[in-house]
Amino acid sequence: MKDLFEKIYKDKGPLGKWAEQAEGYFVFPKLEGPISNRMKFKGKDVVTWSINDYLGLANHPEVRKVDAEAGVKWGSAYPMGARMMSGHTELHEQLQRELAEFVSKEAAYLLNFGYQGMVSTIDALVAKDDVIVYDVDAHACIIDGVRLHLGQRFTYKHNDMESIEKNLQRATKVAEKTGGGILLISEGVFGMRGEQGKLKEIIELKKKYNFRFFVDDAHGFGTLGKTGAGAGEEQGVQDGIDVYFATFAKAMASTGAFIAADEEIINYLKYNLRSQMFAKSLQMQLVEGALKRLDMIRTMPELKDKLWENVNALQGGLRERGFDIGTTQSCVTPVYLKGSIPEAMALVKDLRENHGIFCSIVVYPVIPKGLILLRMIPTATHDMKDIDETLEAFSAIRDRLENGTYKRLSAAVAEAMGDKI
Ligand SMILES: Cc1ncc(COP(=O)(O)O)c(C=O)c1O
């Protein structure tokens, strides 16, 4: 019989196999210093474009004060136990009421983490007779939630209305046989490429097909819509979203998440969400901190205005210089370049070491072979100096990519990696 660990010794997994070349630099980098537009990487100042602190709340003095005071008041244990047993408080309820009101839903329920909350919500919403239809580019937490489903599921081509309709037809046929219903899941904003989900068009399809619509709006909440209530508000269709999800890990600059829906649905989820029924409640410091952050999102529209000023300057500047930034419709700013993985590594090293620019790099298998995606997240803390320096740096690295500098620099790496690439 095989040793269970044999496969682990042989195969480190699709990302783990890069550990030797990448760890500490391309993956698991240590950004140091206060969270802001400029931080330290390996002792050097860098402009940071890889932190989802959209509104600049992470290190805002008012937020830091509330977080610190709540820490002193409650410690990190309170409340002990799961919500249902001994972890329920008035402040949890208040935060839920305020979140629900902000996203124009009847009720909301808190989740400890967005990831496990999404998994658990999908699990609670469907039974084995039901059918799930979801975007092929969906976030890992949606994919993992779907994995728990014992019934049928169909993926549709990313944001492709023809494919969505075709899969709704297939799902309808199955559901008619099983006697179940259909759950359609999209993201409000797709976090890699920045396109908004086609919420409006999908909701239009409700006239033809019978399904419920679940939206993961991790990147839309706080950044899109007149009041910052997200992609549904931006597209004028919040009412058509049956279950709305957002995390506190991005515009709210914290930890935790929530779902919002009609009261009856939230009451059902409250009693059926395994991630909340069998896990310790969101701690008080996070609850008080979230109340403060939500208040700032509501009352300080200048934060979102500043964010968008920066988004427009960065995306406009990149477009002017002829960079391919795809079809983003959000703050997420992808830059697509052509090159191999070793070239991408040399390029990112150059960006960080010689230009002081820190952004995330995405390569195959997340995107097609031969493409390099540099993903930038502008925030309200960036300024024009950051943007100008970044645009200059990007022009310089593109020249070096095109004149073969990175190919030469990375030849040894390419050879060492051999068939791993
Ligand atoms: C689209 C999307 N959904 C869910 C999550 C998970 O949220 P959390 O970080 O709160 O677990 C993320 C990442 O943070 C995300 O990008």
Side-chain angles (χ1 to χ4, degrees):
M1 204 185 111
K2 249 191 190 169
D3 172 12
L4 179 82
F5 286 174
E6 198 180 305
K7 58 183 173 297
I8 298 174
Y9 299 136
K10 276 197 191 136
D11 175 14
K12 309 285 178 219
L15 285 176
K17 71 179 178 185
W18 298 106
E20 219 174 285
Q21 290 85 4
E23 194 161 317
Y25 202 91
F26 302 103
V27 293
F28 301 100
K30 292 178 192 143
L31 275 170
E32 290 166 331
I35 296 170
S36 76
N37 54 330
R38 286 179 190 248
M39 294 174 72
K40 282 204 185 303
F41 178 61
K42 293 194 175 290
K44 195 175 165 17
D45 282 332
V46 286
V47 183
T48 41
W49 293 109
S50 60
I51 291 177
N52 294 313
D53 180 24
Y54 285 116
L55 300 173
L57 295 181
N59 205 30
H60 193 288
E62 287 184 43
V63 167
R64 292 293 301 262
K65 185 165 178 283
V66 169
D67 285 353
E69 285 171 1
V72 171
K73 186 167 160 198
W74 301 102
S76 61
Y78 203 97
M80 288 299 290
R83 287 290 293 280
M84 214 178 215
M85 308 306 282
S86 49
H88 190 57
T89 75
E90 178 52 42
L91 283 182
H92 284 73
E93 283 186 351
Q94 184 189 336
L95 177 56
Q96 287 172 176
R97 280 193 303 273
E98 291 192 21
L99 285 165
E101 196 185 327
F102 183 63
V103 299
S104 304
K105 293 286 173 204
E106 282 178 14
Y109 200 64
L110 292 175
L111 308 163
N112 296 347
F113 293 98
Y115 196 111
Q116 39 113 302
M118 275 300 292
V119 169
S120 197
T121 305
I122 296 170
D123 176 48
L125 287 174
V126 292
K128 96 171 177 323
D129 295 342
D130 298 326
V131 187
I132 301 179
V133 177
Y134 66 109
D135 195 293
V136 72
D137 276 1
H139 188 268
C141 64
I142 299 174
I143 294 169
D144 286 0
V146 172
R147 277 182 180 167
L148 289 182
H149 180 43
L150 297 173
Q152 287 243 46
R153 81 281 312 261
F154 298 109
T155 51
Y156 56 82
K157 285 189 206 152
H158 173 58
N159 251 352
D160 180 322
M161 289 315 297
E162 209 180 302
S163 176
I164 292 174
E165 189 154 6
K166 205 166 96 198
N167 281 288
L168 274 173
Q169 285 162 1
R170 292 164 80 189
T172 303
K173 271 194 198 139
V174 174
E176 276 168 0
K177 265 196 212 136
T178 60
I182 300 171
L183 179 68
L184 198 151
I185 313 172
S186 173
E187 290 182 40
V189 170
F190 288 85
M192 280 294 151
R193 301 173 214 251
E195 300 119 343
Q196 287 181 39
K198 298 222 163 129
L199 312 187
K200 193 167 179 188
E201 290 92 328
I202 291 173
I203 288 165
E204 266 298 298
L205 288 176
K206 283 188 166 184
K207 293 182 185 144
K208 273 171 87 177
Y209 304 93
N210 185 0
F211 64 92
R212 292 293 184 174
F213 192 25
F214 184 15
V215 173
D216 174 344
D217 201 21
H219 289 272
F221 181 82
T223 69
L224 290 178
K226 192 163 175 290
T227 69
E233 184 186 42
E234 174 84 17
Q235 298 183 29
V237 293
Q238 189 72 349
D239 274 358
I241 297 173
D242 295 292
V243 184
Y244 177 87
F245 162 97
T247 170
F248 298 161
K250 307 199 189 281
M252 292 274 274
S254 184
T255 300
F258 72 98
I259 36 172
D262 285 350
E263 194 161 8
E264 205 167 337
I265 308 306
I266 293 297
N267 280 340
Y268 169 82
L269 290 171
K270 197 168 139 181
Y271 283 88
N272 291 278
L273 269 184
R274 295 170 67 81
S275 69
Q276 297 310 118
M277 292 161 69
F278 302 108
K280 187 174 184 286
S281 169
L282 197 64
Q283 56 145 302
M284 229 49 172
Q285 192 183 23
L286 298 175
V287 174
E288 279 212 19
L291 279 163
K292 175 66 187 171
R293 287 157 170 83
L294 180 59
D295 186 52
M296 289 174 73
I297 292 177
R298 274 189 309 232
T299 58
M300 296 172 71
E302 63 272 23
L303 297 172
K304 185 159 70 73
D305 293 346
K306 177 73 181 138
L307 163 69
W308 276 96
E309 198 184 304
N310 288 337
V311 171
N312 291 332
L314 180 68
Q315 294 186 354
L318 286 164
R319 279 201 184 99
E320 249 167 49
R321 285 167 189 251
F323 282 98
D324 175 6
I325 64 166
T327 50
T328 179
Q329 301 161 311
S330 69
C331 309
V332 177
T333 305
V335 174
Y336 298 95
L337 296 165
K338 285 199 180 82
S340 64
I341 293 176
E343 280 175 298
M345 286 168 142
L347 173 154
V348 167
K349 222 169 177 171
D350 190 17
L351 261 184
R352 290 184 189 172
E353 307 295 324
N354 303 320
H355 297 277
I357 306 293
F358 189 101
C359 62
S360 305
I361 167 184
V362 184
V363 291
Y364 179 81
V366 182
I367 55 169
K369 247 186 186 148
L371 267 190
I372 303 169
L373 165 54
L374 298 173
R375 177 175 173 268
M376 290 192 281
I377 302 287
T379 74
T381 63
H382 287 101
D383 57 31
M384 273 321 291
K385 188 166 176 285
D386 300 330
I387 293 169
D388 288 341
E389 279 177 30
T390 303
L391 293 174
E392 282 301 310
F394 269 61
S395 292
I397 58 144
R398 180 175 53 191
D399 287 349
R400 272 176 234 137
L401 181 66
E402 285 172 359
N403 72 22
T405 305
Y406 299 132
K407 196 170 239 147
R408 281 196 299 281
L409 285 173
S410 63
V413 179
E415 202 180 310
M417 285 186 185
D419 61 3
K420 276 210 276 183
I421 304 172

